[in-house]
């Protein structure tokens, strides 16, 4: 197998990411987002399983009445994220099925924690009206006070929890 | 001038297609930065790999500076964009949500966006994280009613750091860019220290100094350009720096005769005094009533003239948002009365032509306003019995 390409320099990656975000501001009048799409996919799935419950629910009901919750730019943008990630990983020789984990944790343990961490982030992103993309990046670039408070707290939360899950990574 | 965001309104399908394209670029860059790998992302929280911080902060600085330069040259409206792209600040849910997202980040090894990239690169832990995010979103909407008013607590509306700190966005952006460069240098030092702790053999590759210098150079230059756009005069800039000019009774009288439609005269004295005698065309408004005139929304085509009993020391807060010129009558109504309601002293025989012209204007003014016949009576017996017969200009009421 050919050798993997190296990662980009972080500052140049950031510059490129900033230009993508700027293009989104200029072309769509919107920032980048990710968690909003996950929420909409979830509502769609739930609407198939329990349509009456969703239709009667306050915030979800409004989303499914009239048109599909998937008819939203965030959903299409995240579809693009998946495709972009796929092409980038393939062309860099990094496209491979695997479970990334530290040496002191089993694959099952790692996947359980990934599911738990994802669930916590889903709750957090709904609560904060966005995740690291929609709040920290987009709101941070527009100097929104709430977004900067959010971003600082992401780092606080990460550092506070890091010691407890150190066996997962090192 | 603001960018119309033509795409969302023009064609829904094209809008979604552009979103796919932007997402593609977003995902591609995230993968190439190394964000498809949970162990690399987690390194941020064990201090031996600061890539997350570096990429995020340089992306924020790049987009921030780009937006400010574009709004500085008038291509884009910063506040309109911010209100289109962002939610209100709900402080408490954002603080707790940020903390929880950080916890979820180190537990799962991803954030919601990077987990999609990880899944696309074949990392099963990334795919499982995506599933978790979907589940978590639904969990929150289900439990949200149990949280009472927490979801909307700390509602501060659209709140921006530059308003909070009372500086212009450009100046704050320069500050953020400088702080970013300082933090990057610090992050590099921290990272190398903890890499050495981890791998004492020194297998760490030296950071690419050339790319770093290039990126820092771009940030610095664009930040300076952003601040330089402050010197571009804009209508808003003029409106935010109102000043109180002073106008003498003579020039005011001249303007009342020449172009009464260009003036809006407001008499701030008590209703009784104002009703008894006032500058022609003026309206009687108490100081407290100024705020009710809607001056901030007026066109600003007329010059606003404030008349008090005497001089007005400073611009009243209620008129600060008036978009046009603001004048205070020199000497107040007393000055007006001395000039326009008191007959001028007789001229000496050797008066100059300019003095004669000024005298003729003033005595004509006094006789027009007081009804006293020419030639004026001897000095010392003024009759102030003026009641306005006709309102000249001034608001169109009456």
């Amino acid at each position: 197998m050919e050798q993997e390409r190296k990662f980009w320099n972080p500052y140049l990656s950031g510059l490129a990411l900033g230009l993508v975000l700027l293009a989104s501001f200029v072309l769509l009048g919107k920032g980048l987002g990710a968690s909003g799409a996950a929420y909409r996919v979830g509502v769609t799935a739930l609407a198939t399983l329990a349509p009456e419950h969703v239709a009667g629910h306050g915030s979800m009901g409004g989303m499914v009445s009239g048109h599909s919750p998937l008819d939203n730019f965030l959903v299409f943008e995240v579809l693009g994220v998946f495709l972009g990630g796929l092409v980038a990983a393939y062309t860099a020789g990094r496209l491979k099925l695997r479970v990334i984990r530290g040496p002191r944790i089993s694959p099952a343990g790692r996947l359980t924690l990934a599911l738990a961490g994802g669930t916590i982030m889903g709750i957090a992103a709904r609560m904060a009206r966005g995740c690291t993309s929609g709040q920290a990046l987009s709101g941070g670039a527009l100097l929104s006070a709430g977004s900067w408070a959010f971003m600082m707290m992401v780092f606080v939360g990460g550092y506070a929890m890091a010691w407890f899950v150190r066996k997962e990574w090192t | 001038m603001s960018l119309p965001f033509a795409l969302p309104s023009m064609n829904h399908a094209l809008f979604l297609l552009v979103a796919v394209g932007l997402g593609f670029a977003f995902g591609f860059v995230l993968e190439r930065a190394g964000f498809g790998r949970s162990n690399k992302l987690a390194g941020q929280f064990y201090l031996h790999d600061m890539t997350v911080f570096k990429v995020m902060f340089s992306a924020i600085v790049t987009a921030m500076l780009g937006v400010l330069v574009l709004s500085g040259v008038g291509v884009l409206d910063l506040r309109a964009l911010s209100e289109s792209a962002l939610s209100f600040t709900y402080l408490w849910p954002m603080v707790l949500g940020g903390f929880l997202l950080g916890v979820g980040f180190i537990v799962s090894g991803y954030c919601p966006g990077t987990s999609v990239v990880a899944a696309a690169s074949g990392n099963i832990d990334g795919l499982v994280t995506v599933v978790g995010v979907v589940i978590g979103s639904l969990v929150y909407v289900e439990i949200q009613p149990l949280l009472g008013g927490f979801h909307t607590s700390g509602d501060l509306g659209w709140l921006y750091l530059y308003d909070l700190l009372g500086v212009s966005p450009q100046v704050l952006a320069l500050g953020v860019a400088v702080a970013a460069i300082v933090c990057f240098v610090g992050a590099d030092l921290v990272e190398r220290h903890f890499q050495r702790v981890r791998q004492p053999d020194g297998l760490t590759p030296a950071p690419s100094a050339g790319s770093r210098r290039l990126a820092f150079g771009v940030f610095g230059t664009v930040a300076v350009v952003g601040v330089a756009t402050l010197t571009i005069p804009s209508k808003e800039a003029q409106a935010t720096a109102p000043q109180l000019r002073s106008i003498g009774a003579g020039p005011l009288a001249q303007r009342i005769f020449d172009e009464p439609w260009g003036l809006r005269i407001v008499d701030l004295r008590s209703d009784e005094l104002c009703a008894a005698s006032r500058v022609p065309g003026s309206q009687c408004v108490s100081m407290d009533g100024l705020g009710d005139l809607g001056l901030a929304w007026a066109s600003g085509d007329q010059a606003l003239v404030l008349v008090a009993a005497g001089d007005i020391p400073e611009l009243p807060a209620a008129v600060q948002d008036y978009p046009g010129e603001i004048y205070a009558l020199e000497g107040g109504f007393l000055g007006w009365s001395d000039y326009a309601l008191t007959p001028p002293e007789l001229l000496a025989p050797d008066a100059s032509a300019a003095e004669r012209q000024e005298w003729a204007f003033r005595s004509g003014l006094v006789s027009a306003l007081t009804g006293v016949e020419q030639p004026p009576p001897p000095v010392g017996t003024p009759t102030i019995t003026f009641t306005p017969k006709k309102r000249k200009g001034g608001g169109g009421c009456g």
Side-chain angles (χ1 to χ4, degrees):
Chain A
M1 174 124 187
E2 64 183 289
Q3 208 179 353
E4 278 183 19
R5 276 168 163 242
K6 280 172 77 176
F7 293 129
W8 289 353
N9 174 283
Y11 301 113
L12 296 185
S13 306
L15 223 117
L17 188 55
L19 291 176
V20 175
L21 178 57
L22 181 62
S24 179
F25 283 146
V26 172
L27 293 175
L28 305 183
K30 302 277 178 196
L32 297 167
S35 54
Y39 175 50
R40 286 173 178 274
V41 168
V43 172
T44 310
L46 197 62
T48 345
L49 295 173
E52 280 151 31
H53 171 73
V54 171
H57 187 279
S59 52
M60 286 193 285
M63 223 177 215
V64 291
S65 70
H67 60 287
S68 163
L70 297 181
D71 183 9
N72 179 276
F73 85 99
L74 276 175
V75 176
F76 283 77
E77 189 218 284
V78 171
L79 184 70
V81 170
F82 186 88
L83 295 173
L86 183 69
V87 169
Y90 178 72
T91 52
R94 279 193 285 271
L95 186 59
K96 191 181 143 197
L97 271 186
R98 72 189 130 197
V99 176
I100 298 180
R101 62 193 168 96
R104 295 192 280 169
I105 189 167
S106 70
R110 166 73 186 111
L111 292 181
T112 309
L113 285 176
L115 185 68
T119 308
I120 296 171
M121 287 196 293
I123 292 172
R126 284 295 90 213
M127 189 185 288
R129 281 88 171 160
C131 59
T132 16
S133 316
Q135 276 298 353
L137 268 187
S138 309
L142 295 176
L143 298 167
S144 162
S147 302
W148 279 77
F150 172 85
M151 184 165 30
M152 301 295 172
M153 291 308 291
V154 170
F155 283 98
V156 170
Y159 284 109
M161 191 68 193
W163 186 82
F164 299 99
V165 291
R166 65 193 183 283
K167 283 186 185 168
E168 192 182 355
W169 304 113
T170 53
Chain B
M1 188 164 58
S2 70
L3 198 79
F5 307 133
L7 285 171
S9 52
M10 197 170 63
N11 185 322
H12 190 59
L14 182 62
F15 178 60
L16 296 182
L17 202 64
V18 172
V20 174
L22 287 166
F24 187 94
F26 186 26
F28 193 93
V29 174
L30 287 179
E31 202 285 334
R32 285 296 154 92
F35 283 8
R37 294 263 172 100
S38 47
N39 49 356
K40 189 165 176 64
L41 292 161
Q44 173 69 42
F45 298 103
Y46 300 98
L47 299 171
H48 57 79
D49 189 336
M50 302 288 250
T51 308
V52 171
F53 173 78
K54 292 179 195 171
V55 173
M56 261 185 75
F57 214 3
S58 30
I60 287 172
V61 169
T62 305
M64 170 189 74
L65 293 175
V67 166
L68 283 172
V69 169
L70 290 181
S71 84
V73 297
V75 173
L76 198 141
D77 184 327
L78 175 64
R79 282 179 197 270
L81 169 67
S82 303
E83 292 180 9
S84 154
L86 303 178
S87 73
F88 282 180
T89 286
Y90 295 101
L91 192 59
W92 303 124
M94 284 177 174
V95 164
L96 182 63
F99 185 85
L100 287 177
L101 199 123
V103 169
F105 194 152
I106 189 61
V107 172
S108 70
Y110 299 106
C111 62
T114 52
S115 65
V116 175
V117 175
S121 337
N123 299 334
I124 300 162
D125 48 328
L127 183 65
V128 171
T129 304
V130 174
V131 173
V133 174
V134 172
I135 294 172
S137 306
L138 295 177
V139 168
Y140 185 74
V141 285
E142 294 294 347
I143 61 169
Q144 190 190 319
L146 308 176
L147 300 175
F150 175 74
H151 189 64
T152 48
S153 59
D155 179 358
L156 300 172
W158 277 301
L159 180 65
Y160 305 107
L161 292 177
Y162 42 85
D163 289 336
L164 204 60
L165 300 173
V167 296
S168 77
Q170 286 84 352
V171 169
L172 180 60
L174 177 68
V176 171
V178 170
I181 292 177
V182 171
C183 290
F184 290 149
V185 173
D188 276 335
L189 293 175
V190 170
E191 186 176 75
R192 289 186 68 71
H193 171 76
F194 281 91
Q195 277 174 356
R196 253 180 254 124
V197 170
R198 242 178 126 223
Q199 295 174 314
D201 310 339
L203 282 167
T204 55
S208 161
S211 307
R212 197 173 84 166
R213 229 175 288 139
L214 174 69
F216 289 4
V218 170
F219 296 152
T221 313
V222 182
V224 171
V225 171
V227 171
T229 60
L230 277 179
T231 58
I232 299 173
S234 71
K235 209 180 165 190
E236 270 175 55
Q238 284 167 10
T240 52
Q243 40 173 190
L244 186 63
R245 284 173 255 212
S246 135
I247 186 167
L252 178 61
Q254 193 78 55
R255 283 182 73 162
I256 291 174
F257 280 122
D258 292 347
E259 37 164 4
W261 55 84
L263 295 173
R264 179 165 186 180
I265 309 170
V266 176
D267 195 319
L268 300 171
R269 295 173 303 149
S270 72
D271 284 350
E272 294 82 40
L273 288 172
C274 181
S277 175
R278 59 184 183 265
V279 177
S282 58
Q283 56 186 135
C284 303
V285 179
S286 69
M287 202 58 139
D288 297 333
L290 261 183
D292 302 330
L293 293 181
L295 291 171
W297 298 280
S299 72
D301 294 341
Q302 293 176 317
L304 182 67
V305 182
L306 302 176
V307 182
D311 280 315
I312 299 174
E314 59 184 26
L315 191 65
V319 301
Q320 253 163 18
D321 293 329
Y322 185 73
E325 295 171 314
I326 307 169
Y327 292 98
L329 177 59
E330 228 174 77
F333 189 77
L334 213 61
W336 175 259
S337 162
D338 281 349
Y339 180 85
L341 304 179
T342 312
E345 286 182 41
L346 286 173
L347 282 172
D350 58 345
S352 70
E355 281 171 331
R356 282 171 197 283
Q357 206 181 352
E358 164 72 16
W359 188 88
F361 174 76
R362 220 186 120 186
S363 55
L365 175 71
V366 171
S367 65
L369 294 181
T370 59
V372 177
E373 296 286 320
Q374 286 278 35
V379 181
T381 56
T383 41
I384 308 174
T385 52
F386 170 69
T387 39
K389 298 178 183 83
K390 191 178 158 196
R391 295 178 68 95
K392 297 177 180 175
C397 51

